[in-house]
Amino acid sequence: MYRILLVEDEKNFGSVLKEYLKMNAFEVTLCENGEEGIKTFTAGKFDLCIIDIMMPKKDGFTLSAEIKAIQKDIPIIFLTARSMREDMVKGYKLGADDYIIKPFDSELLLLKIKAILNRHYNQVNENQFLYQIGQFTFNAKLRSLKDKQGHEVKLSPKEAELLNLLCQSINDVLLREIALKKIWKEETYFTGRSMDVYIVKLRKYLSADPSIEINNLHGNGYSLMVKV
Amino acid sequence: MYRILLVEDEKNFGSVLKEYLKMNAFEVTLCENGEEGIKTFTAGKFDLCIIDIMMPKKDGFTLSAEIKAIQKDIPIIFLTARSMREDMVKGYKLGADDYIIKPFDSELLLLKIKAILNRHYNQVNENQFLYQIGQFTFNAKLRSLKDKQGHEVKLSPKEAELLNLLCQSINDVLLREIALKKIWKEETYFTGRSMDVYIVKLRKYLSADPSIEINNLHGNGYSLMVKV
DNA sequence: AACACTGTTAACGAAAAGTTAAAGTTGGAG
DNA sequence: CTCCAACTTTAACTTTTCGTTAACAGTGTT
C-alpha cells in the first residue's frame, strides 16, 4: 500500500483524482496548496508526490525543492496545464521526476505512478531471469529463447534486455521512456527509433506462437500480452 | 539432497508435482493448506518452499509471511493462477522470491528451483577442483584433463585456471571482466585477447565430446554448456 | 489534411571474437 | 651461467555480431 501526497489547488479536480487513486489501492492525502503540502509532508511518510505546478501561495517547483531537501530521492510527478511551455517544465525536470499534462488520461497517470514506484522501490528481482512466454522459455542471462521443440535462438544484448523488461511487466505496460532510460540511458529521437527496430525483431522471434502479442500503446509504450 | 515444502490445495496437481520433483532428486513434503503448511514447516527443516497463493483457510502470502518470520531468508516460489492479476503478485513484496503462473512448463519450474537453490546455498565452492565435463574428468589442482579412455592431457596454468572458472559457472555465464580480474588481475585490450586465445585452446581440448560447447556471449563472456 | 508516431527493411560501420603464428618470457636442466 | 622447452603475450588478419541510421510505408490523432 503506497502513500501518495497529492497537492492540487482546484478542489473539484483534486478530490476526484484522490478518489480515483484510492480506488486503485493507493493511500492518498490531499493538500490544497504548497504551504499545507510541506507541512503535511513533514508530518507524515510518503512514497510519491503528485504536485500541481501552478498554485497560489507556493508554486509546485518551490514545494518540490523543499520536499527534496527533506527526502532527496522521493519521486515526484508534476501536473501541468497544457498552456505551459514544455521547455519550462523540462528545465525543472529533476532526477527521476516526471510530469503529465492536464487534462490527462487517468489511466496514463496510473501507469506512470506504477512504473515510477516500481522503478524506485520494487527493485524487482534483478535475480529473476527465467521466464515463460507462451510456448517459449526465455533465459535472460544466457540470452536464449527456446521453444517447446527445443529450438533455440540467441538474442543480442539489446534484444534480451528489451524482452526482459517486457517480461517484467508482462500483460501490463512497459513505458517507452522507462525502457529507453534503462536500456539506452537516454531518450532521444534516435534511441526511440532504435527501440522500434528491436520491437520488430522481438515480434518476429515470438511470431511462432500466435497467443503472444507485443502491442503498441500509441505514445506510451508497449505491452507483451500472452493470451489464455 | 534438498528438502522442499510444497503447499498446494489441488490434490491431483499437488501429488503429480510432488512425484515429478522427487523424480528429480528432491525430498518433497506436500501440504494441502496453509495451516498444515506452517505446522509442517515449524516441525521440519526445509531449503525451499513452493506455495500456491490461492488456498482456502490460509492464503499463500499469509503463509509465506509466517514462514519468513521463522526463517527470514528461505527462498519461496509462488504458484499463481493465470486468472490472478500480475500486478497483484508483483505488488506483494516478493523480495528475492520468484513466482510462476499455472499452468507452467515443469521444465521451467525445475530450472527456477535449481537457479534459486544455487544462488542461495551454493555460494560457489571455490575449493572444488574436481569436475565432470561430459566425458572428461578435470582435475584443476593437477591440471589434468582425462577422457573416458583414460587419455590424459596436461593443461598449462592459465588454461587450467580458465577452465576452472568456466566449470564454476557451468551452464551459466562466466563474465569476461570477472575472468580477467581473477586470472590476469587486470582488464585491458591485450589481456582480453590473451583470454580469447586460451578459449580457442580449451575448445580444441574439449572438441572430442560434441555435447560440450564453450559459447561466446558477445560482449558478455563465455558459457560452458554441457548437454544432457 | 497535417502531423506525430510506428512498422519494416536494409545497409553501414564499429566492436568483439576466431584463428594462427611469431615474438617474448620464464624457470629449470645441464 | 647458458640454453632449451614450456608457457604466455602480442600481432596480424579474418569472420562474426551488433547497433544505429536512413528511407519509405503505414497508422492514429487532432
Side-chain angles (χ1 to χ4, degrees):
Chain A
M1 193 76 162
Y2 286 107
R3 290 147 304 184
I4 296 179
L5 175 64
L6 171 62
V7 191
E8 166 64 65
D9 63 312
E10 291 172 49
K11 291 190 183 188
N12 259 328
F13 180 73
S15 61
V16 168
L17 187 50
K18 175 179 175 178
E19 285 314 311
Y20 177 72
L21 292 174
K22 278 172 79 172
M23 268 170 45
N24 284 280
F26 291 105
E27 200 177 303
V28 185
T29 307
L30 173 61
C31 296
E32 295 189 359
N33 60 62
E35 285 183 4
E36 204 185 312
I38 189 66
K39 270 182 205 160
T40 310
F41 183 84
T42 312
K45 281 202 107 192
F46 296 93
D47 304 300
L48 173 86
C49 300
I50 301 176
I51 302 176
D52 194 3
I53 291 183
M54 282 186 285
M55 290 184 299
K57 289 198 188 176
K58 185 178 288 180
D59 73 285
F61 290 136
T62 310
L63 174 59
S64 89
E66 293 176 4
I67 285 176
K68 292 255 172 183
I70 296 169
Q71 190 180 332
K72 193 172 151 240
D73 64 335
I74 193 161
I76 294 177
I77 296 179
F78 291 114
L79 303 179
T80 80
R82 186 183 291 283
S83 62
M84 193 161 200
R85 286 184 52 202
E86 286 254 336
D87 53 347
M88 181 164 172
V89 183
K90 278 186 183 155
Y92 275 93
K93 233 176 131 177
L94 298 170
D97 296 336
D98 211 329
Y99 71 98
I100 193 166
I101 296 170
K102 290 195 288 188
F104 52 83
D105 184 6
S106 52
E107 190 72 19
L108 176 65
L109 177 62
L110 214 55
L111 289 178
K112 288 213 174 193
I113 291 175
K114 280 188 197 169
I116 289 176
L117 287 174
N118 217 43
R119 191 169 59 199
H120 270 255
Y121 301 105
N122 257 8
Q123 289 306 342
V124 167
N125 264 345
E126 300 276 330
N127 296 328
Q128 195 168 326
F129 58 92
L130 285 169
Y131 299 95
Q132 182 160 26
I133 313 170
Q135 69 166 40
F136 294 99
T137 306
F138 170 47
N139 185 322
K141 250 200 231 171
L142 296 176
R143 305 204 314 255
S144 93
L145 189 63
K146 273 188 199 156
D147 65 14
K148 282 251 161 83
Q149 288 78 48
H151 296 147
E152 181 180 13
V153 185
K154 285 267 197 145
L155 303 188
S156 84
K158 284 255 151 66
E159 287 167 354
E161 279 188 272
L162 184 54
L163 186 53
N164 194 39
L165 285 188
L166 283 167
C167 286
Q168 279 174 16
S169 46
I170 193 165
N171 292 333
D172 203 342
V173 185
L174 170 63
L175 293 179
R176 252 194 127 72
E177 36 175 327
I178 288 182
L180 289 175
K181 270 181 200 152
K182 283 201 181 176
I183 301 180
W184 279 267
K185 319 293 182 201
E186 60 174 346
E187 203 185 337
T188 68
Y189 168 78
F190 288 116
T191 56
R193 289 323 325 268
S194 206
M195 173 167 161
D196 292 337
V197 173
Y198 280 98
I199 289 289
V200 172
K201 290 180 183 176
L202 291 181
R203 281 186 180 135
K204 216 166 264 171
Y205 291 136
L206 297 170
S207 64
D209 184 340
S211 68
I212 303 173
E213 281 178 1
I214 299 181
N215 293 319
N216 172 252
L217 291 165
H218 199 85
N220 289 329
Y222 292 94
S223 65
L224 173 61
M225 307 290 285
V226 181
K227 275 179 243 162
V228 191
Chain B
M1 191 76 162
Y2 286 106
R3 291 147 303 184
I4 296 178
L5 176 64
L6 171 61
V7 190
E8 165 64 64
D9 63 312
E10 291 172 50
K11 291 190 183 189
N12 258 326
F13 180 73
S15 60
V16 168
L17 189 51
K18 175 179 175 178
E19 286 314 309
Y20 177 73
L21 292 174
K22 279 172 81 173
M23 269 170 46
N24 283 280
F26 291 106
E27 200 179 303
V28 185
T29 307
L30 173 61
C31 297
E32 295 189 358
N33 61 62
E35 285 183 3
E36 204 185 311
I38 189 66
K39 271 182 204 159
T40 310
F41 183 83
T42 312
K45 281 202 108 195
F46 297 93
D47 304 300
L48 173 84
C49 300
I50 301 176
I51 303 176
D52 192 5
I53 290 183
M54 282 189 282
M55 292 185 297
K57 289 198 189 176
K58 188 177 289 181
D59 73 287
F61 288 139
T62 309
L63 173 60
S64 88
E66 293 176 4
I67 286 177
K68 293 255 171 180
I70 296 170
Q71 190 181 334
K72 194 172 150 240
D73 64 337
I74 192 162
I76 294 177
I77 297 178
F78 290 109
L79 303 179
T80 79
R82 190 191 289 279
S83 62
M84 193 163 200
R85 286 189 55 198
E86 208 96 21
D87 54 346
M88 195 173 157
V89 185
K90 286 179 189 163
Y92 182 81
K93 258 195 168 314
L94 274 182
D97 299 328
D98 209 332
Y99 74 103
I100 194 167
I101 296 171
K102 290 195 285 188
F104 51 83
D105 187 8
S106 53
E107 186 75 19
L108 179 69
L109 177 63
L110 216 55
L111 286 176
K112 287 210 176 197
I113 291 174
K114 283 180 186 165
I116 289 177
L117 288 175
N118 215 44
R119 79 169 171 255
H120 267 258
Y121 302 106
N122 261 8
Q123 293 302 345
V124 173
N125 193 352
E126 305 248 347
N127 298 323
Q128 192 175 341
F129 60 93
L130 208 57
Y131 299 95
Q132 187 76 37
I133 314 169
Q135 69 168 39
F136 294 98
T137 308
F138 169 49
N139 185 322
K141 266 188 197 166
L142 300 176
R143 306 205 313 259
S144 93
L145 190 63
K146 276 186 197 161
D147 65 12
K148 281 249 163 84
Q149 287 77 47
H151 296 145
E152 181 180 10
V153 185
K154 281 272 195 161
L155 302 188
S156 83
K158 283 255 152 67
E159 287 168 352
E161 277 189 272
L162 185 53
L163 186 52
N164 194 31
L165 285 188
L166 283 167
C167 287
Q168 280 174 15
S169 47
I170 193 162
N171 291 334
D172 202 347
V173 188
L174 170 63
L175 295 177
R176 249 195 130 72
E177 37 170 338
I178 289 181
L180 290 175
K181 266 181 205 150
K182 286 199 178 175
I183 302 180
W184 280 266
K185 320 294 181 199
E186 62 173 346
E187 202 185 338
T188 68
Y189 169 79
F190 287 116
T191 56
R193 294 321 327 265
S194 203
M195 172 166 163
D196 292 338
V197 173
Y198 281 99
I199 289 289
V200 173
K201 291 180 182 177
L202 291 181
R203 280 188 180 132
K204 220 163 261 169
Y205 291 137
L206 298 170
S207 63
D209 184 341
S211 68
I212 303 173
E213 281 178 0
I214 298 181
N215 290 319
N216 170 251
L217 280 166
H218 198 274
N220 279 337
Y222 292 92
S223 64
L224 173 61
M225 306 289 287
V226 180
K227 277 176 224 158
V228 193

